[in-house]
Amino acid sequence: MNFKYVYHLFVLLCCISNISCSNNSNDIGNPEEQTSNGPKVVNIINFIRLLEPRDANITEDVLYQTVVKQTEIMREYELGGTFLLQYDALLDSRYQKLLKSLPADSYEIGAWWEVPQPLVENAGMEWRGRYPWDWHADVGFSTGYTPEEREKLVDVYMADFKEIFGYYPKSVGSWFIDAHTLNYLYEKYGIIASCNCKDQIGTDGYNLWGGYWNQAYYPSKKNAYMPAQNEENQIPVPIFRMLGSDPVRQYDNGIGHTHQGVVSLEPVYPKSGGDSAWVNWYFYEFVNGECLEYAYTQTGQENSFIWSSVKKGFEIQMPLIARLRDQKKLKVETLAESGQWFKKNYQVTPATSVTVNNDLERSDVKTVWFNSRFYRANLLWDQGTLRFRDIHLFDENLQSKYLTEKVNSNECFFFTFPFVDGHVWSSSDEIAGLRLKALVDEAEVLLKGGTPMITSPQEGSLQVEWPLESIDGTFLMYFDEQKIDMRIKAKETIDWYWDLTTKNDAELPFLKISPSVVNCEFDEMNYVLNAKNGTFSKPNDQVVLRISPEDNKIILDMADRTVQ
């Protein structure tokens, strides 16, 4: 029988019946038996545009009725949430009346930071768009304007919002907001939370790649996509990653192409957020996977997708979220509430993780994302083998090109420092990654193993124990915010190492590979990765980089960027 449907049936029974499955380490039937730590937070965020120029059939009334239906289903299940208004919708009396009618103790009204024609013209500037709302990065987003123009746009929006609602919004979200605008929103208007798009390449021309993968982070004052390492260099507004990205499938989507599709919690997508099996799997792993500090996801939908397209997904997700809330397995908050909680609990960005212990489609696939203010890393188990699919390093000194200059094309690019990039450095024929290998009986093999145990033995750290099948032993990994520590526990000495391979024409950052340090360059800035224990080498033309242990141990310093 297909694993996907067996898994779906089991999870659904657990959710509906609240049965106790005490022998299953991933049970969500009994809150007291949950294995993961920290609160599980869901934001239901719907953002609102007045018009949709890409489809003549999507009228202003169709868009309005979509929001009406969203409010109805949320109120039916007593689910609070956040509605973010684009400026043209802010000025529309229907939206004003509708949103003012919502209970203020459960619903938040904030700003959606896309820039339409009325906002530009009311700020005294000339509109350059093709339509009254134009989604291109040089017109519809703050990156298309000078820093001085960005401040004018903010001032006009905030003045009109306050006149309509009697206060300034506490949350401002967008697919991306530049650091100058975000800091201005904080310093002058006191916003306490923001949200931006999940990682993606090429989708609608918006490229965000290599950042703090999920949950939330404090951004650098120089770059809103880059987590800051120090409190004095951060904008004290947590940015929450939107859309509930699939931890397994989204990363590999579109390999070999110039843009990705979407595999997310958004209700409009029939193979993910609009599919009951996927949604139940997603929340099962969300509740039970090791998250270190807290788990976070965002659902909801922009009204541009219209109710007929998102209805099914909402009707799957809202009752499930309500049941899990009632069972105290998660809590539903507004974006501002989550931002306030984050600021109360964290002076700097904490280490978090996203863990999938059981995949939906194949039981042998598992993954964990680790994030800290210094780096992110992703492990993927597939067909019994293990590889680092991704390692990106963070540096608050990398200044975004959009901090002081405006973008002059319909695309924008936000990146961090790559060390392993299993998407960009891959082709459809060659999947890049840092793979765990060993010499067994004088032959090089991919180490294989069983089911990993992913836990948090102490605050801020992640432990991975992977029982090996190729040899009699256990592979141990420890992640904390500043380092990765790896070793093998076995009776016999094992010659093991990590090998990085990529597609032939990959544009790699490696300038020099020395035994204790790798010198890199990306976006005209130099950075390094140091080995506190272990060595780097390039053994042959087929292997880009090898990391070998010293005395059975590799310790990578993920925090020191000092160029040597």
Side-chain angles (χ1 to χ4, degrees):
M1 185 177 290
N2 190 309
F3 172 79
K4 172 179 177 179
Y5 295 104
V6 173
Y7 187 82
H8 173 209
L9 179 62
F10 172 75
V11 173
L12 195 58
L13 287 172
C14 284
C15 292
I16 295 174
S17 304
N18 196 21
I19 61 175
S20 175
C21 309
S22 59
N23 291 327
N24 187 330
S25 63
N26 295 324
D27 171 40
I28 60 173
N30 187 337
E32 286 73 32
E33 293 179 2
Q34 287 179 196
T35 58
S36 60
N37 302 318
K40 314 296 187 298
V41 178
V42 176
N43 286 168
I44 304 173
I45 301 175
N46 302 299
F47 53 94
I48 304 171
R49 302 186 180 108
L50 178 69
L51 49 84
E52 176 49 76
R54 293 170 288 190
D55 188 340
N57 294 316
I58 302 179
T59 64
E60 291 185 16
D61 188 61
V62 169
L63 294 172
Y64 173 73
Q65 291 301 325
T66 298
V67 182
V68 170
K69 292 297 185 181
Q70 289 172 331
T71 63
E72 288 177 352
I73 195 169
M74 290 170 69
R75 296 188 76 167
E76 177 184 354
Y77 291 100
E78 299 180 334
L79 293 168
T82 298
F83 289 88
L84 302 179
L85 284 160
Q86 192 168 285
Y87 183 76
D88 49 7
L90 170 68
L91 301 183
D92 188 278
S93 60
R94 294 177 301 173
Y95 290 112
Q96 296 172 16
K97 182 179 179 181
L98 174 65
L99 297 179
K100 285 180 179 180
S101 72
L102 298 176
D105 60 347
S106 301
Y107 295 90
E108 173 195 12
I109 315 303
W112 182 251
W113 206 246
E114 292 179 345
V115 182
Q117 184 173 353
L119 180 56
V120 171
E121 292 179 342
N122 287 352
M125 293 178 278
E126 181 180 353
W127 176 245
R128 296 177 279 110
R130 300 163 298 165
Y131 316 101
W133 168 63
D134 189 332
W135 55 91
H136 280 181
D138 57 338
V139 176
F141 293 88
S142 59
T143 49
Y145 301 85
T146 66
E148 293 76 15
E149 291 171 337
R150 296 170 199 173
E151 294 180 8
K152 291 180 182 178
L153 294 171
V154 169
D155 290 339
V156 169
Y157 186 102
M158 288 296 186
D160 287 342
F161 189 101
K162 186 174 184 181
E163 182 177 349
I164 293 165
F165 290 103
Y167 57 87
Y168 293 127
K170 293 298 183 184
S171 299
V172 181
S174 183
W175 295 140
F176 51 91
I177 303 176
D178 68 278
H180 182 91
T181 298
L182 191 68
N183 198 49
Y184 186 72
L185 284 162
Y186 165 71
E187 291 186 339
K188 186 168 183 179
Y189 296 100
I191 69 166
I192 60 176
S194 186
C195 56
N196 67 7
C197 186
K198 64 174 175 56
D199 266 29
Q200 62 180 33
I201 291 179
T203 310
D204 296 327
Y206 316 146
N207 302 273
L208 301 91
W209 197 250
Y212 196 99
W213 191 79
N214 198 62
Q215 277 89 318
Y217 65 96
Y218 287 120
S220 162
K221 291 179 179 178
K222 295 181 178 180
N223 188 336
Y225 185 63
M226 179 74 75
Q229 286 72 62
N230 299 287
E231 186 175 4
E232 62 269 22
N233 295 326
Q234 70 189 19
I235 301 172
V237 176
I239 298 178
F240 291 82
R241 303 307 303 272
M242 294 180 70
L243 307 182
S245 189
D246 186 314
V248 177
R249 275 162 286 279
Q250 180 62 56
Y251 186 88
D252 291 338
N253 192 290
I255 282 178
H257 301 280
T258 57
H259 67 279
Q260 292 185 296
V262 179
V263 192
S264 77
L265 196 55
E266 293 171 88
V268 72
Y269 292 107
K271 294 184 179 180
S272 55
D275 175 70
S276 59
W278 188 95
V279 170
N280 279 277
W281 163 79
Y282 181 90
F283 278 104
Y284 186 93
E285 298 299 326
F286 174 77
V287 166
N288 288 279
E290 180 58 63
C291 61
L292 299 187
E293 289 288 329
Y294 68 101
Y296 172 83
T297 195
Q298 177 263 323
T299 188
Q301 195 78 67
E302 65 221 76
N303 62 340
S304 295
F305 279 113
I306 73 172
W307 185 246
S308 60
S309 298
V310 303
K311 178 178 183 288
K312 179 181 177 182
F314 267 85
E315 291 178 344
I316 292 168
Q317 293 186 28
M318 296 303 114
L320 175 60
I321 292 170
R323 286 197 298 272
L324 293 173
R325 174 206 58 198
D326 294 343
Q327 295 167 7
K328 302 188 185 306
K329 299 184 180 89
L330 57 76
K331 58 181 180 177
V332 179
E333 296 181 337
T334 66
L335 179 57
E337 287 172 338
S338 296
Q340 188 173 31
W341 172 86
F342 189 95
K343 294 185 70 172
K344 180 181 178 180
N345 285 275
Y346 306 113
Q347 287 187 302
V348 294
T349 301
T352 63
S353 62
V354 177
T355 304
V356 172
N357 292 304
N358 298 282
D359 189 28
L360 174 64
E361 295 177 347
R362 289 177 48 199
S363 60
D364 68 315
V365 175
K366 306 173 191 304
T367 196
V368 60
W369 290 87
F370 179 87
N371 303 277
S372 82
R373 56 192 164 122
F374 295 99
Y375 72 103
R376 80 175 192 187
N378 176 237
L379 293 173
L380 184 75
W381 288 265
D382 186 9
Q383 298 180 347
T385 66
L386 172 62
R387 75 178 187 270
F388 274 101
R389 192 164 52 164
D390 186 279
I391 299 175
H392 276 76
L393 310 177
F394 303 149
D395 191 331
E396 63 194 15
N397 296 308
L398 176 63
Q399 179 172 308
S400 168
K401 63 184 72 175
Y402 312 123
L403 181 65
T404 58
E405 302 293 330
K406 64 180 184 178
V407 64
N408 292 309
S409 75
N410 61 1
E411 288 191 290
C412 67
F413 300 90
F414 293 91
F415 296 117
T416 62
F417 289 148
F419 190 77
V420 176
D421 195 320
H423 183 99
V424 176
W425 299 348
S426 293
S427 68
S428 55
D429 299 322
E430 181 66 34
I431 303 301
L434 192 63
R435 290 173 169 83
L436 184 59
K437 298 179 178 179
L439 289 178
V440 178
D441 296 329
E442 300 183 354
E444 182 178 81
V445 298
L446 289 170
L447 282 177
K448 290 194 171 186
T451 300
M453 181 178 294
I454 302 168
T455 59
S456 178
Q458 58 187 24
E459 183 177 350
S461 69
L462 188 76
Q463 177 175 289
V464 177
E465 299 176 81
W466 186 38
L468 298 173
E469 296 173 352
S470 306
I471 59 175
D472 184 14
T474 303
F475 190 68
L476 301 173
M477 304 183 72
Y478 305 90
F479 296 79
D480 65 31
E481 69 169 7
Q482 298 194 46
K483 67 179 182 300
I484 302 175
D485 186 323
M486 300 172 275
R487 63 197 71 185
I488 286 182
K489 182 179 180 182
K491 293 180 179 180
E492 300 180 1
T493 301
I494 308 298
D495 187 359
W496 61 276
Y497 45 87
W498 294 90
D499 272 358
L500 174 63
T501 56
T502 70
K503 65 180 181 179
N504 291 331
D505 59 347
E507 296 183 15
L508 303 175
F510 309 122
L511 295 177
K512 182 181 179 181
I513 298 173
S514 303
S516 61
V517 62
V518 178
N519 289 78
C520 308
E521 181 183 18
F522 181 81
D523 204 17
E524 300 181 351
M525 188 168 175
N526 294 325
Y527 58 102
V528 300
L529 183 67
N530 292 289
K532 287 187 172 181
N533 212 89
T535 60
F536 300 113
S537 64
K538 189 179 185 335
N540 53 58
D541 292 339
Q542 286 72 44
V543 175
V544 172
L545 173 70
R546 175 170 289 175
I547 310 177
S548 304
E550 289 180 314
D551 298 325
N552 189 42
K553 184 188 298 184
I554 295 173
I555 301 177
L556 301 179
D557 185 341
M558 311 303 288
D560 186 1
R561 301 282 173 268
T562 306
V563 176
Q564 301 180 12

